[in-house]
Amino acid sequence: YGGRIGRNQMSWDLGLDNEDLKDNSVLNQALQLLDRTFHLVMVSEHMDESLVLLKHLLCWNDEDIIGLAKNIRKDHYRTRLSHRNVETLHKLNQGDLLIYNHFKEKYVK
């Protein structure tokens, strides 16, 4: 849509545009707003921990969060991106990377 699908998609969905991504104060305000707005942000690499936190937040039982891993590609079928490609993707999606790293850090603390 208007050249917006794909690049910094999460940032765009949360109301930021390309100009906002150039201003650190706007980005910091956006992160503070996200922290205040969402009680829980689930991170796929920490899905088990995310589900336990969701369980407590919603007063669920263990049975409510039991799930099966489906459609997960086995490691030997995965292709690895080159270091250069990873750097390029990080530059193109700097806003999303900032949001992702912010919430991922909460899981490792």
Side-chain angles (χ1 to χ4, degrees), residues 39-54:
H39 296 287
L40 173 66
V41 174
M42 299 173 72
V43 176
S44 60
E45 290 92 338
H46 296 281
M47 188 53 66
D48 292 338
E49 297 96 327
S50 294
L51 288 171
V52 170
L53 292 171
L54 180 67

Side-chain angles (χ1 to χ4, degrees), residues 81-93 97:
L81 294 174
S82 70
H83 182 69
R84 182 178 178 196
N85 285 342
V86 170
E87 285 181 358
T88 300
L89 287 170
H90 284 181
K91 286 178 186 173
L92 289 173
N93 293 292
L97 186 62

